[in-house]
Coordinates of all heavy atoms in Angstrom, one line a residue:
M1 N 91.0 -69.7 -103.6 CA 91.7 -71.0 -103.5 C 90.7 -72.1 -103.6 O 89.8 -72.2 -102.7 CB 92.6 -71.0 -102.2 CG 93.5 -72.1 -102.2 SD 94.6 -72.2 -100.8 CE 94.9 -70.5 -100.4
K2 N 90.9 -73.0 -104.5 CA 90.0 -74.1 -104.7 C 90.6 -75.3 -103.9 O 91.8 -75.6 -103.9 CB 89.9 -74.5 -106.1 CG 88.9 -75.6 -106.4 CD 88.6 -75.7 -107.9 CE 87.6 -76.8 -108.1 NZ 87.2 -76.9 -109.5
M3 N 89.7 -76.1 -103.3 CA 90.1 -77.3 -102.6 C 89.5 -78.5 -103.2 O 88.3 -78.5 -103.6 CB 89.7 -77.2 -101.1 CG 90.5 -76.1 -100.4 SD 90.2 -76.2 -98.6 CE 91.3 -77.5 -98.1
M4 N 90.2 -79.6 -103.3 CA 89.7 -80.9 -103.9 C 90.3 -82.0 -103.1 O 91.5 -81.9 -102.7 CB 90.1 -81.0 -105.3 CG 89.4 -80.0 -106.3 SD 90.0 -80.3 -108.0 CE 89.1 -81.7 -108.5
S5 N 89.6 -83.1 -102.9 CA 90.2 -84.3 -102.3 C 91.1 -84.9 -103.4 O 91.0 -84.7 -104.6 CB 89.1 -85.2 -101.9 OG 88.5 -85.8 -103.1
F6 N 92.0 -85.8 -102.9 CA 92.9 -86.5 -103.8 C 92.1 -87.3 -104.8 O 92.4 -87.4 -106.0 CB 93.8 -87.4 -103.0 CG 94.7 -88.3 -103.8 CD1 95.7 -87.7 -104.5 CD2 94.4 -89.6 -104.0 CE1 96.5 -88.5 -105.3 CE2 95.2 -90.4 -104.8 CZ 96.3 -89.9 -105.4
T7 N 91.0 -88.0 -104.3 CA 90.2 -88.8 -105.2 C 89.5 -88.0 -106.3 O 89.6 -88.4 -107.4 CB 89.1 -89.6 -104.3 OG1 89.8 -90.3 -103.3 CG2 88.2 -90.5 -105.2
E8 N 89.0 -86.9 -105.9 CA 88.4 -86.0 -106.9 C 89.4 -85.5 -107.9 O 89.1 -85.4 -109.1 CB 87.7 -84.8 -106.2 CG 86.9 -83.9 -107.1 CD 86.2 -82.8 -106.4 OE1 86.4 -82.6 -105.2 OE2 85.6 -82.0 -107.1
T9 N 90.6 -85.1 -107.4 CA 91.6 -84.6 -108.2 C 92.1 -85.7 -109.2 O 92.3 -85.4 -110.4 CB 92.8 -84.2 -107.4 OG1 92.4 -83.2 -106.5 CG2 93.9 -83.6 -108.3
R10 N 92.2 -86.9 -108.7 CA 92.6 -88.0 -109.6 C 91.6 -88.3 -110.7 O 92.0 -88.5 -111.9 CB 92.8 -89.3 -108.7 CG 93.4 -90.5 -109.5 CD 93.6 -91.7 -108.7 NE 92.4 -92.0 -108.0 CZ 92.4 -92.6 -106.8 NH1 93.5 -93.0 -106.2 NH2 91.3 -92.9 -106.2
R11 N 90.4 -88.2 -110.4 CA 89.3 -88.4 -111.4 C 89.3 -87.3 -112.5 O 89.0 -87.5 -113.6 CB 87.9 -88.4 -110.8 CG 87.5 -89.8 -110.3 CD 86.1 -89.8 -109.9 NE 85.9 -88.8 -108.9 CZ 85.3 -88.9 -107.7 NH1 84.7 -90.1 -107.5 NH2 85.2 -88.0 -106.8
N12 N 89.7 -86.1 -112.1 CA 89.6 -84.9 -113.0 C 91.0 -84.2 -113.1 O 91.0 -83.0 -113.1 CB 88.6 -83.9 -112.4 CG 87.2 -84.5 -112.2 OD1 86.6 -85.0 -113.2 ND2 86.8 -84.6 -111.0
F13 N 92.0 -85.0 -113.1 CA 93.4 -84.4 -113.0 C 93.7 -83.4 -114.1 O 94.1 -82.3 -113.8 CB 94.4 -85.5 -113.1 CG 95.8 -85.1 -112.7 CD1 96.1 -84.6 -111.4 CD2 96.9 -85.1 -113.6 CE1 97.3 -84.1 -111.0 CE2 98.1 -84.7 -113.2 CZ 98.4 -84.2 -111.9
A14 N 93.4 -83.7 -115.4 CA 93.7 -82.8 -116.5 C 92.9 -81.5 -116.3 O 93.4 -80.4 -116.5 CB 93.4 -83.5 -117.8
A15 N 91.6 -81.7 -116.0 CA 90.8 -80.5 -115.8 C 91.2 -79.6 -114.6 O 91.2 -78.4 -114.7 CB 89.3 -80.9 -115.6
A16 N 91.7 -80.3 -113.6 CA 92.1 -79.6 -112.4 C 93.4 -78.8 -112.7 O 93.5 -77.6 -112.4 CB 92.4 -80.5 -111.2
L17 N 94.3 -79.4 -113.5 CA 95.5 -78.7 -113.9 C 95.2 -77.5 -114.8 O 95.8 -76.4 -114.8 CB 96.5 -79.6 -114.5 CG 97.1 -80.7 -113.6 CD1 98.1 -81.5 -114.3 CD2 97.8 -80.0 -112.3
D18 N 94.3 -77.8 -115.8 CA 93.9 -76.7 -116.7 C 93.3 -75.5 -115.9 O 93.6 -74.4 -116.3 CB 92.8 -77.2 -117.7 CG 93.4 -78.2 -118.7 OD1 94.6 -78.2 -118.9 OD2 92.6 -78.9 -119.4
A19 N 92.5 -75.8 -114.9 CA 91.9 -74.7 -114.1 C 93.0 -73.9 -113.4 O 92.9 -72.7 -113.3 CB 90.9 -75.3 -113.1
V20 N 94.0 -74.6 -112.8 CA 95.1 -73.9 -112.1 C 95.8 -73.0 -113.1 O 96.1 -71.8 -112.8 CB 96.1 -74.9 -111.5 CG1 97.4 -74.2 -111.1 CG2 95.4 -75.6 -110.3
E21 N 96.0 -73.5 -114.3 CA 96.7 -72.7 -115.3 C 95.9 -71.6 -115.8 O 96.4 -70.4 -115.9 CB 97.1 -73.7 -116.5 CG 97.9 -73.0 -117.6 CD 98.2 -73.9 -118.7 OE1 97.5 -75.0 -118.9 OE2 99.1 -73.5 -119.5
S22 N 94.6 -71.8 -116.2 CA 93.8 -70.7 -116.8 C 93.4 -69.7 -115.8 O 93.2 -68.5 -116.1 CB 92.6 -71.3 -117.5 OG 91.8 -72.0 -116.6
D23 N 93.1 -70.1 -114.5 CA 92.6 -69.2 -113.5 C 93.7 -68.6 -112.7 O 93.4 -67.6 -112.0 CB 91.6 -69.9 -112.6 CG 90.4 -70.5 -113.3 OD1 90.1 -70.1 -114.4 OD2 89.8 -71.4 -112.7
A24 N 94.9 -69.1 -112.8 CA 96.0 -68.7 -112.0 C 95.6 -68.7 -110.5 O 96.0 -67.8 -109.7 CB 96.5 -67.3 -112.4
E25 N 94.8 -69.7 -110.1 CA 94.4 -69.9 -108.8 C 94.9 -71.2 -108.2 O 95.0 -72.2 -108.9 CB 92.9 -69.9 -108.7 CG 92.3 -70.0 -107.3 CD 90.8 -70.0 -107.3 OE1 90.2 -70.0 -108.3 OE2 90.3 -69.9 -106.1
E26 N 95.3 -71.1 -106.9 CA 95.9 -72.3 -106.3 C 94.9 -73.4 -106.2 O 93.7 -73.1 -106.0 CB 96.4 -71.9 -104.9 CG 97.5 -70.9 -104.9 CD 96.9 -69.5 -104.8 OE1 95.7 -69.3 -104.7 OE2 97.7 -68.5 -104.9
L27 N 95.3 -74.6 -106.2 CA 94.5 -75.8 -105.9 C 95.1 -76.5 -104.7 O 96.3 -76.9 -104.7 CB 94.5 -76.7 -107.1 CG 93.8 -78.1 -106.9 CD1 92.4 -78.0 -106.5 CD2 94.1 -79.0 -108.1
V28 N 94.3 -76.7 -103.7 CA 94.7 -77.4 -102.5 C 94.2 -78.8 -102.6 O 92.9 -79.0 -102.8 CB 94.2 -76.7 -101.2 CG1 94.6 -77.6 -100.0 CG2 94.7 -75.3 -101.1
I29 N 95.0 -79.8 -102.5 CA 94.6 -81.2 -102.6 C 94.8 -81.8 -101.2 O 95.8 -81.7 -100.6 CB 95.5 -82.0 -103.6 CG1 95.4 -81.3 -105.0 CG2 95.1 -83.4 -103.7 CD1 96.3 -81.9 -106.0
T30 N 93.7 -82.4 -100.7 CA 93.6 -82.9 -99.4 C 93.6 -84.5 -99.5 O 93.1 -85.0 -100.4 CB 92.4 -82.5 -98.6 OG1 91.2 -82.9 -99.3 CG2 92.4 -80.9 -98.5
R31 N 94.3 -85.1 -98.5 CA 94.3 -86.5 -98.4 C 94.1 -86.9 -96.9 O 94.7 -86.2 -96.0 CB 95.6 -87.2 -98.8 CG 95.8 -87.0 -100.3 CD 97.0 -87.8 -100.8 NE 98.2 -87.4 -100.0 CZ 99.3 -88.2 -100.0 NH1 99.4 -89.4 -100.6 NH2 100.4 -87.8 -99.4
A32 N 93.3 -87.8 -96.6 CA 93.1 -88.2 -95.2 C 94.4 -88.7 -94.6 O 95.1 -89.5 -95.2 CB 92.1 -89.4 -95.2
G33 N 94.7 -88.1 -93.4 CA 95.9 -88.5 -92.7 C 97.2 -87.9 -93.2 O 98.3 -88.3 -92.8
H34 N 97.1 -87.0 -94.2 CA 98.3 -86.3 -94.8 C 98.1 -84.8 -94.8 O 97.0 -84.3 -94.8 CB 98.5 -86.8 -96.2 CG 98.9 -88.3 -96.3 ND1 100.1 -88.7 -96.1 CD2 98.1 -89.4 -96.5 CE1 100.1 -90.1 -96.3 NE2 98.9 -90.5 -96.5
E35 N 99.2 -84.1 -94.8 CA 99.2 -82.7 -95.0 C 98.7 -82.3 -96.4 O 99.1 -82.9 -97.4 CB 100.7 -82.2 -94.8 CG 100.9 -80.7 -94.9 CD 100.6 -80.0 -93.6 OE1 100.7 -80.7 -92.5 OE2 100.4 -78.8 -93.6
P36 N 97.8 -81.3 -96.5 CA 97.4 -80.9 -97.8 C 98.5 -80.3 -98.6 O 99.5 -79.8 -98.0 CB 96.4 -79.7 -97.5 CG 96.0 -80.0 -96.1 CD 97.1 -80.6 -95.4
V37 N 98.4 -80.4 -99.9 CA 99.5 -79.9 -100.8 C 98.8 -78.8 -101.7 O 97.6 -78.9 -101.9 CB 100.2 -80.9 -101.6 CG1 100.9 -81.9 -100.8 CG2 99.2 -81.7 -102.5
V38 N 99.6 -77.9 -102.2 CA 99.1 -76.9 -103.1 C 99.7 -77.0 -104.5 O 101.0 -77.2 -104.6 CB 99.4 -75.5 -102.5 CG1 98.9 -74.4 -103.4 CG2 98.9 -75.3 -101.1
V39 N 98.9 -76.8 -105.5 CA 99.4 -76.8 -106.9 C 99.2 -75.4 -107.4 O 98.2 -74.8 -107.2 CB 98.6 -77.8 -107.7 CG1 99.0 -77.7 -109.2 CG2 98.7 -79.2 -107.2
V40 N 100.3 -74.8 -107.9 CA 100.3 -73.5 -108.4 C 101.0 -73.5 -109.8 O 101.9 -74.3 -110.0 CB 101.0 -72.4 -107.5 CG1 100.2 -72.3 -106.2 CG2 102.4 -72.8 -107.2
P41 N 100.7 -72.5 -110.6 CA 101.5 -72.4 -111.9 C 103.0 -72.1 -111.5 O 103.3 -71.5 -110.5 CB 100.9 -71.2 -112.6 CG 99.5 -71.1 -112.0 CD 99.6 -71.5 -110.6
L42 N 103.9 -72.6 -112.4 CA 105.3 -72.5 -112.1 C 105.7 -71.0 -112.0 O 106.5 -70.7 -111.1 CB 106.1 -73.1 -113.2 CG 107.6 -73.1 -113.1 CD1 108.1 -73.7 -111.8 CD2 108.3 -73.7 -114.3
A43 N 105.2 -70.1 -112.8 CA 105.5 -68.7 -112.7 C 105.2 -68.1 -111.4 O 105.9 -67.3 -110.8 CB 104.9 -67.9 -113.9
E44 N 104.0 -68.5 -110.9 CA 103.6 -68.0 -109.5 C 104.5 -68.6 -108.4 O 104.9 -67.8 -107.5 CB 102.2 -68.5 -109.3 CG 101.6 -68.1 -107.9 CD 101.4 -66.6 -107.7 OE1 101.4 -65.8 -108.8 OE2 101.3 -66.1 -106.6
Y45 N 104.9 -69.8 -108.5 CA 105.8 -70.4 -107.6 C 107.1 -69.7 -107.6 O 107.7 -69.4 -106.5 CB 106.0 -71.9 -107.9 CG 107.0 -72.6 -107.0 CD1 106.7 -72.9 -105.7 CD2 108.3 -72.9 -107.5 CE1 107.7 -73.5 -104.9 CE2 109.2 -73.4 -106.7 CZ 108.9 -73.8 -105.4 OH 109.9 -74.3 -104.6
E46 N 107.7 -69.5 -108.8 CA 109.0 -68.8 -108.9 C 108.9 -67.4 -108.3 O 109.8 -66.9 -107.7 CB 109.4 -68.8 -110.4 CG 109.8 -70.1 -110.8 CD 110.1 -70.2 -112.3 OE1 109.6 -69.3 -113.1 OE2 110.8 -71.1 -112.7
S47 N 107.8 -66.7 -108.6 CA 107.6 -65.3 -108.0 C 107.5 -65.4 -106.5 O 108.2 -64.5 -105.8 CB 106.3 -64.8 -108.6 OG 106.0 -63.5 -108.0
L48 N 106.8 -66.3 -105.9 CA 106.8 -66.5 -104.5 C 108.2 -66.8 -103.9 O 108.6 -66.2 -102.9 CB 105.8 -67.6 -104.1 CG 104.4 -67.3 -104.3 CD1 103.6 -68.6 -104.1 CD2 103.9 -66.2 -103.4
K49 N 108.9 -67.6 -104.5 CA 110.3 -67.9 -104.1 C 111.2 -66.7 -104.1 O 112.0 -66.5 -103.2 CB 110.9 -69.1 -104.9 CG 110.2 -70.4 -104.7 CD 110.4 -71.0 -103.3 CE 111.8 -71.5 -103.1 NZ 112.0 -72.1 -101.8
E50 N 111.1 -65.9 -105.2 CA 111.9 -64.7 -105.3 C 111.5 -63.7 -104.3 O 112.4 -63.1 -103.7 CB 111.8 -64.1 -106.7 CG 112.6 -62.9 -106.9 CD 112.6 -62.4 -108.4 OE1 111.9 -63.0 -109.2 OE2 113.2 -61.4 -108.6
T51 N 110.3 -63.5 -104.1 CA 109.8 -62.6 -103.0 C 110.3 -63.0 -101.6 O 110.8 -62.2 -100.9 CB 108.3 -62.5 -103.0 OG1 107.8 -62.0 -104.3 CG2 107.8 -61.5 -101.9
D52 N 110.2 -64.3 -101.4 CA 110.7 -64.8 -100.1 C 112.2 -64.6 -100.0 O 112.7 -64.1 -98.9 CB 110.5 -66.4 -100.0 CG 111.1 -67.0 -98.8 OD1 110.7 -66.6 -97.7 OD2 111.9 -67.9 -98.9
Y53 N 113.0 -64.8 -101.0 CA 114.4 -64.5 -101.0 C 114.7 -63.1 -100.7 O 115.6 -62.7 -99.9 CB 115.1 -65.0 -102.3 CG 116.5 -64.6 -102.4 CD1 117.5 -65.4 -101.8 CD2 116.9 -63.6 -103.2 CE1 118.8 -65.0 -101.9 CE2 118.2 -63.2 -103.3 CZ 119.2 -63.9 -102.6 OH 120.5 -63.6 -102.7
L54 N 114.0 -62.2 -101.4 CA 114.3 -60.8 -101.3 C 113.9 -60.2 -99.9 O 114.5 -59.3 -99.4 CB 113.5 -60.0 -102.4 CG 114.0 -60.2 -103.8 CD1 113.1 -59.6 -104.8 CD2 115.5 -59.7 -104.0
M55 N 112.9 -60.8 -99.3 CA 112.4 -60.3 -98.0 C 113.1 -60.9 -96.8 O 112.9 -60.5 -95.7 CB 110.9 -60.6 -97.9 CG 110.1 -59.9 -98.9 SD 110.2 -58.1 -98.9 CE 109.1 -57.7 -97.6
R56 N 114.0 -61.9 -97.1 CA 114.8 -62.5 -95.9 C 115.7 -61.5 -95.3 O 115.9 -61.6 -94.1 CB 115.6 -63.7 -96.4 CG 114.8 -64.9 -96.6 CD 115.7 -66.1 -97.0 NE 114.9 -67.0 -97.8 CZ 115.4 -68.0 -98.5 NH1 116.7 -68.1 -98.6 NH2 114.6 -68.8 -99.2
S57 N 116.3 -60.6 -96.0 CA 117.2 -59.6 -95.4 C 116.4 -58.5 -94.9 O 115.6 -57.8 -95.7 CB 118.2 -59.1 -96.5 OG 118.7 -57.8 -96.1
P58 N 116.4 -58.2 -93.6 CA 115.7 -57.1 -93.1 C 115.9 -55.7 -93.7 O 115.0 -55.0 -94.0 CB 116.0 -57.0 -91.6 CG 116.5 -58.4 -91.3 CD 117.1 -58.9 -92.5
A59 N 117.2 -55.5 -94.1 CA 117.5 -54.2 -94.7 C 116.9 -54.2 -96.1 O 116.4 -53.1 -96.5 CB 119.1 -54.0 -94.8
N60 N 117.0 -55.3 -96.9 CA 116.4 -55.3 -98.2 C 114.9 -55.2 -98.1 O 114.3 -54.5 -98.9 CB 116.8 -56.6 -98.9 CG 116.6 -56.5 -100.4 OD1 117.0 -55.5 -101.0 ND2 116.0 -57.6 -101.0
A61 N 114.3 -55.9 -97.1 CA 112.8 -55.8 -97.0 C 112.4 -54.4 -96.7 O 111.4 -53.9 -97.3 CB 112.4 -56.7 -95.9
D62 N 113.1 -53.6 -95.8 CA 112.8 -52.3 -95.5 C 112.9 -51.4 -96.8 O 112.1 -50.5 -97.0 CB 113.7 -51.7 -94.4 CG 113.4 -52.3 -93.1 OD1 112.3 -52.8 -92.9 OD2 114.3 -52.2 -92.2
R63 N 114.0 -51.6 -97.6 CA 114.2 -50.8 -98.8 C 113.1 -51.1 -99.8 O 112.5 -50.1 -100.4 CB 115.5 -51.2 -99.4 CG 115.8 -50.6 -100.7 CD 116.0 -49.1 -100.7 NE 116.2 -48.6 -102.0 CZ 115.3 -48.0 -102.7 NH1 114.1 -47.8 -102.2 NH2 115.5 -47.5 -103.9
L64 N 112.6 -52.3 -99.9 CA 111.6 -52.6 -100.8 C 110.2 -52.0 -100.4 O 109.5 -51.4 -101.2 CB 111.4 -54.1 -101.0 CG 112.5 -54.8 -101.8 CD1 112.4 -56.4 -101.6 CD2 112.5 -54.5 -103.2
R65 N 110.0 -52.1 -99.1 CA 108.7 -51.5 -98.6 C 108.7 -50.0 -98.8 O 107.7 -49.4 -99.1 CB 108.6 -51.8 -97.1 CG 108.1 -53.2 -96.8 CD 107.8 -53.4 -95.3 NE 107.8 -54.8 -95.0 CZ 108.8 -55.5 -94.5 NH1 109.9 -54.9 -94.1 NH2 108.7 -56.8 -94.3
E66 N 109.9 -49.3 -98.6 CA 110.0 -47.9 -98.8 C 109.7 -47.5 -100.3 O 109.1 -46.6 -100.6 CB 111.3 -47.4 -98.3 CG 111.6 -47.3 -96.9 CD 113.0 -47.0 -96.5 OE1 113.8 -46.6 -97.3 OE2 113.3 -47.2 -95.3
A67 N 110.3 -48.3 -101.1 CA 110.2 -48.1 -102.6 C 108.7 -48.2 -103.0 O 108.2 -47.4 -103.8 CB 111.1 -49.0 -103.4
I68 N 108.0 -49.3 -102.5 CA 106.6 -49.5 -102.8 C 105.8 -48.4 -102.3 O 104.9 -47.8 -103.0 CB 106.2 -50.9 -102.3 CG1 106.9 -52.0 -103.1 CG2 104.7 -51.0 -102.4 CD1 106.7 -53.4 -102.4
A69 N 106.0 -48.0 -101.1 CA 105.3 -46.8 -100.5 C 105.5 -45.6 -101.3 O 104.5 -44.8 -101.5 CB 105.7 -46.6 -99.0
G70 N 106.7 -45.3 -101.7 CA 107.0 -44.1 -102.5 C 106.3 -44.1 -103.8 O 105.7 -43.1 -104.3
D71 N 106.3 -45.3 -104.5 CA 105.6 -45.4 -105.7 C 104.1 -45.2 -105.6 O 103.5 -44.5 -106.4 CB 105.9 -46.8 -106.4 CG 105.3 -46.9 -107.7 OD1 105.7 -46.1 -108.6 OD2 104.5 -47.8 -108.0
R72 N 103.5 -45.8 -104.6 CA 102.1 -45.7 -104.3 C 101.7 -44.2 -104.0 O 100.6 -43.8 -104.3 CB 101.6 -46.6 -103.2 CG 101.6 -48.1 -103.6 CD 101.1 -49.0 -102.6 NE 101.1 -50.4 -103.1 CZ 101.1 -51.4 -102.3 NH1 101.1 -51.3 -101.0 NH2 101.1 -52.6 -102.8
S73 N 102.6 -43.5 -103.4 CA 102.3 -42.1 -103.1 C 102.5 -41.2 -104.3 O 102.3 -40.0 -104.1 CB 103.1 -41.6 -101.9 OG 104.5 -41.5 -102.3
G74 N 102.9 -41.7 -105.4 CA 103.1 -40.9 -106.6 C 104.5 -40.4 -106.7 O 104.8 -39.6 -107.6
A75 N 105.5 -40.8 -105.9 CA 106.8 -40.3 -106.0 C 107.7 -41.1 -106.9 O 108.9 -40.9 -107.1 CB 107.5 -40.3 -104.6
G76 N 107.1 -42.1 -107.6 CA 107.9 -43.0 -108.5 C 108.3 -42.2 -109.7 O 107.6 -41.2 -110.1
V77 N 109.3 -42.7 -110.4 CA 109.8 -42.0 -111.6 C 109.9 -43.1 -112.7 O 110.4 -44.2 -112.5 CB 111.3 -41.5 -111.4 CG1 111.8 -40.9 -112.7 CG2 111.3 -40.5 -110.2
L78 N 109.3 -42.8 -113.8 CA 109.2 -43.7 -114.9 C 110.5 -43.5 -115.8 O 110.9 -42.4 -116.1 CB 108.0 -43.4 -115.8 CG 107.8 -44.3 -117.0 CD1 107.6 -45.7 -116.5 CD2 106.5 -43.8 -117.8
H79 N 111.2 -44.6 -116.0 CA 112.4 -44.6 -116.9 C 112.2 -45.4 -118.1 O 111.6 -46.5 -118.0 CB 113.6 -45.2 -116.1 CG 114.0 -44.4 -114.9 ND1 114.8 -43.3 -114.9 CD2 113.6 -44.5 -113.6 CE1 115.0 -42.8 -113.7 NE2 114.3 -43.5 -112.9
E80 N 112.8 -45.0 -119.2 CA 112.7 -45.8 -120.4 C 113.9 -46.7 -120.4 O 115.0 -46.3 -120.1 CB 112.8 -44.9 -121.7 CG 112.6 -45.7 -122.9 CD 112.6 -44.8 -124.2 OE1 112.1 -43.6 -124.0 OE2 113.1 -45.2 -125.2
L81 N 113.7 -48.0 -120.8 CA 114.8 -49.0 -120.8 C 115.6 -48.7 -122.1 O 115.0 -48.5 -123.2 CB 114.2 -50.4 -120.8 CG 113.4 -50.8 -119.6 CD1 112.9 -52.2 -119.7 CD2 114.3 -50.7 -118.3
V82 N 116.9 -48.8 -122.0 CA 117.8 -48.6 -123.1 C 118.6 -49.8 -123.3 O 119.2 -50.3 -122.3 CB 118.6 -47.3 -122.9 CG1 119.6 -47.1 -124.0 CG2 117.7 -46.1 -122.7
D83 N 118.7 -50.3 -124.5 CA 119.6 -51.4 -124.8 C 121.0 -51.0 -124.8 O 121.4 -50.0 -125.5 CB 119.2 -52.0 -126.2 CG 120.1 -53.2 -126.6 OD1 120.6 -53.9 -125.7 OD2 120.3 -53.4 -127.8
P84 N 121.9 -51.6 -124.0 CA 123.3 -51.1 -124.0 C 124.0 -51.3 -125.3 O 125.0 -50.6 -125.5 CB 123.9 -52.0 -122.9 CG 123.0 -53.2 -122.8 CD 121.7 -52.7 -123.2
E85 N 123.5 -52.1 -126.2 CA 124.1 -52.3 -127.5 C 123.6 -51.3 -128.6 O 124.0 -51.3 -129.7 CB 124.0 -53.7 -128.0 CG 124.7 -54.7 -127.1 CD 124.5 -56.1 -127.5 OE1 124.2 -56.4 -128.7 OE2 124.7 -57.0 -126.7
G86 N 122.7 -50.4 -128.1 CA 122.2 -49.4 -129.0 C 121.0 -49.8 -129.9 O 120.6 -48.9 -130.7
D87 N 120.4 -50.9 -129.8 CA 119.3 -51.3 -130.6 C 118.0 -50.8 -129.8 O 117.7 -51.4 -128.8 CB 119.3 -52.8 -130.7 CG 118.1 -53.3 -131.6 OD1 117.2 -52.5 -132.0 OD2 118.0 -54.5 -131.9
P88 N 117.4 -49.8 -130.3 CA 116.3 -49.2 -129.5 C 115.1 -50.2 -129.4 O 114.3 -50.1 -128.4 CB 115.9 -48.0 -130.3 CG 116.5 -48.1 -131.6 CD 117.6 -49.0 -131.5
G89 N 114.9 -51.1 -130.3 CA 113.8 -52.0 -130.2 C 114.0 -53.1 -129.2 O 113.0 -53.7 -128.7
R90 N 115.2 -53.4 -128.8 CA 115.5 -54.5 -127.9 C 115.4 -54.1 -126.5 O 115.1 -54.9 -125.6 CB 116.8 -55.1 -128.2 CG 116.9 -55.9 -129.5 CD 118.2 -56.6 -129.7 NE 118.8 -57.1 -128.4 CZ 120.0 -57.4 -128.2 NH1 120.9 -57.1 -129.2 NH2 120.5 -57.9 -127.1
G91 N 115.6 -52.9 -126.1 CA 115.6 -52.4 -124.7 C 114.3 -52.2 -124.1 O 114.2 -52.1 -122.9
V92 N 113.3 -52.0 -124.9 CA 112.0 -51.6 -124.4 C 111.1 -52.9 -124.2 O 111.0 -53.7 -125.1 CB 111.2 -50.6 -125.3 CG1 109.9 -50.3 -124.8 CG2 112.1 -49.4 -125.5
V93 N 110.6 -53.0 -123.0 CA 109.8 -54.2 -122.7 C 108.3 -53.8 -122.6 O 108.0 -52.9 -122.0 CB 110.2 -54.9 -121.4 CG1 109.4 -56.1 -121.1 CG2 111.7 -55.3 -121.5

């Protein structure tokens, strides 16, 4: 996680945003007398929000942890995606 002052960020704003995008690493911007803020790529932010939403339910969180543990132990099963409309090229990601 990279940290920059607001003044430094302002001087190098485009480069700072380019680094966040290309490195997929958070940028913490600090300002005297203010709470630091974090800049992240939108996809990362959306992923964090989705994970937060899924983990709010204790039952769902337990189910996800069990599934992850099962997959890591080799008990996972690989399935081929199938397009419901029958187009074999569209269903595989």
